[in-house]
Amino acid sequence: QARLVQSGAELKKPGASVTISCKASGYTFSSYYMHWVRQAPGQGLEWMGMINPNGGSTNYAQKFQGRVTMTRDSPTSTVMMVLSSLTSADTAVYYCTKENNWKGRRGFDPWGQGTLVTVSS
Amino acid sequence: EVEMTQSPATLSVSPGERATLSCRASQSVSSDLAWYQQKPGQAPRLLIYGASTRATGIPDRFTGSGSGTDFTLTISSLQSEDFAVYYCQQYNNGLYSFGQGTKLEIK
């Protein structure tokens, strides 16, 4: 059974960077894209981007281009997301989630438990 | 970028009744549409993918329909555990986006 476990909560100052990790287990890591989605307090879900663990290619939402970097470490089945130049608007819960693709029909499942990032001076 | 618009923002329905949630895409996404349920303090849960296929373990009272730009999630005979926020999500040309969500509350 697929499972995603994320790193713990972070408190950062404005202008800093944050790194969040997501360790996968229970499936073939290289076979499924991994996505990052965030949710600001009381707000909806926002797609940030994705990484193909097989080769490491990425695709980022335009809003985060130049500020986000997604990488993977295949030996440990872990993906990482770095978000730089943080502002208070980046305060949110960040989720990693695995993309399932059933003959072209896509869905995100499962999801990590979420990592709260708080940006405050 | 494809924009997703969900309506209504809040839906008040009594237990046992039917709920109909709508999602509209700014351009055709064919059937590349998923629905998620989120309860307070929890990660989202996949309900429907490919516009109409229920995910593993999802009760058959959840039904997804539509294609192109207009999609619907119908929940027949609402149970207490169904009151939550629901999001639609699309895939198009390597990019993904979510609707703003519909909060389904007890009437």
Side-chain angles (χ1 to χ4, degrees), chain A residues 35 37 39 43-47 50 59-60 95 99 102 104-109 111-112, chain B residues 32 34 36 38 42-46 49-50 53 87 89 91 94-100:
Chain A
H35 295 254
V37 175
Q39 185 170 38
Q43 303 301 308
L45 303 172
E46 183 174 31
W47 181 76
M50 58 170 281
N59 198 15
Y60 303 139
Y95 295 100
E99 176 183 314
W102 300 272
R105 295 171 295 164
R106 298 169 178 81
F108 294 167
D109 180 60
W111 295 62
Chain B
D32 244 313
Y36 300 84
Q38 188 179 34
Q42 297 184 15
R45 173 194 182 195
L46 176 65
Y49 61 93
T53 303
Y87 295 94
Q89 173 244 319
Y91 163 85
L95 298 175
Y96 302 70
S97 58
F98 290 90
Q100 82 280 15

Side-chain angles (χ1 to χ4, degrees), chain A residues 28-51:
Chain A
T28 302
F29 176 71
S30 60
S31 296
Y32 298 88
Y33 297 168
M34 194 77 81
H35 295 254
W36 289 90
V37 175
R38 77 177 186 179
Q39 185 170 38
Q43 303 301 308
L45 303 172
E46 183 174 31
W47 181 76
M48 299 181 68
M50 58 170 281
I51 183 168

Side-chain angles (χ1 to χ4, degrees), chain A residues 11-18 67 82-87 90 119:
Chain A
L11 174 61
K12 295 293 182 181
K13 294 190 183 301
S17 297
V18 67
R67 208 160 66 89
V82 178
L83 186 63
S84 61
S85 302
L86 293 170
T87 70
D90 294 313
V119 183

Side-chain angles (χ1 to χ4, degrees), chain B residues 52-68:
Chain B
S52 61
T53 303
R54 276 185 295 274
T56 302
I58 301 303
D60 60 7
R61 63 180 181 272
F62 291 90
T63 301
S65 62
S67 66

Side-chain angles (χ1 to χ4, degrees), chain B residues 1-105:
Chain B
E1 180 182 329
V2 179
E3 293 190 5
M4 307 301 291
T5 303
Q6 292 186 239
S7 60
T10 303
L11 183 61
S12 300
V13 183
S14 300
E17 295 188 340
R18 173 191 300 254
T20 302
L21 289 66
S22 296
C23 175
R24 175 167 289 180
S26 60
Q27 66 187 71
S28 177
V29 298
S30 185
S31 295
D32 244 313
L33 191 287
W35 289 94
Y36 300 84
Q37 176 193 69
Q38 188 179 34
K39 297 180 180 179
Q42 297 184 15
R45 173 194 182 195
L46 176 65
L47 298 175
I48 302 286
Y49 61 93
S52 61
T53 303
R54 276 185 295 274
T56 302
I58 301 303
D60 60 7
R61 63 180 181 272
F62 291 90
T63 301
S65 62
S67 66
T69 60
D70 291 301
F71 301 87
T72 300
L73 175 68
T74 302
I75 313 170
S76 64
S77 189
L78 280 163
Q79 307 295 303
S80 58
E81 62 267 28
D82 299 336
F83 292 96
V85 180
Y86 292 82
Y87 295 94
C88 61
Q89 173 244 319
Q90 67 81 30
Y91 163 85
N92 180 262
N93 287 333
L95 298 175
Y96 302 70
S97 58
F98 290 90
Q100 82 280 15
T102 290
K103 181 179 181 181
L104 180 57
E105 63 177 28

Side-chain angles (χ1 to χ4, degrees), chain A residues 72-111:
Chain A
R72 93 295 189 205
D73 181 62
S74 296
T76 61
S77 298
T78 300
V79 297
M80 283 77 69
M81 191 273 293
V82 178
L83 186 63
S84 61
S85 302
L86 293 170
T87 70
S88 58
D90 294 313
T91 294
V93 175
Y94 291 76
Y95 295 100
C96 61
T97 179
K98 167 179 167 280
E99 176 183 314
N100 292 313
N101 188 327
W102 300 272
K103 298 182 180 180
R105 295 171 295 164
R106 298 169 178 81
F108 294 167
D109 180 60
W111 295 62

